[in-house]
Amino acid sequence: MRKSMRISEEFHEYIASHKRDDETMEDTLRRLIGGPHPEDVAGILSSDTAATMRSRLDAKHEADADEKRTLRERFE
């Protein structure tokens, strides 16, 4: 089932600016939203899996910060 939602033009542009060539807008939103924080699932996952997730999330946050910095620079 497909659903639609209204978002501002500015937010749409923000999402589109993060969209990768091989992604749909849905894929981009899913990537930007991310998954659960490792501490939220600590009782479910092994220590190794939680550490791997934490490491990947940290790397993603760093990459996102770089992308945001680049985007800000484009508007300066």
Side-chain angles (χ1 to χ4, degrees):
M1 175 183 287
R2 300 189 105 188
K3 299 281 184 179
S4 63
M5 61 185 209
R6 293 178 191 225
I7 59 173
S8 69
E9 185 68 27
E10 293 83 8
F11 187 59
H12 183 272
E13 289 176 18
Y14 172 80
I15 295 166
S17 73
H18 285 81
K19 185 179 173 299
R20 296 175 180 158
D21 291 339
D22 62 338
E23 288 181 327
T24 64
M25 289 296 274
E26 179 179 346
D27 294 335
T28 303
L29 282 169
R30 287 180 184 271
R31 180 173 50 79
L32 291 173
I33 290 170
H37 193 278
E39 292 168 359
D40 294 339
V41 292
I44 299 170
L45 303 174
S46 71
S47 295
D48 290 340
T49 301
T52 299
M53 286 180 70
R54 185 174 293 111
S55 174
R56 289 181 182 173
L57 286 170
D58 289 344
K60 179 186 180 318
H61 290 202
E62 288 177 28
D64 287 349
D66 290 341
E67 287 182 36
K68 289 175 187 173
R69 196 174 307 109
T70 300
L71 183 61
R72 272 194 305 270
E73 290 171 358
R74 286 178 38 200
F75 287 100
E76 292 178 351

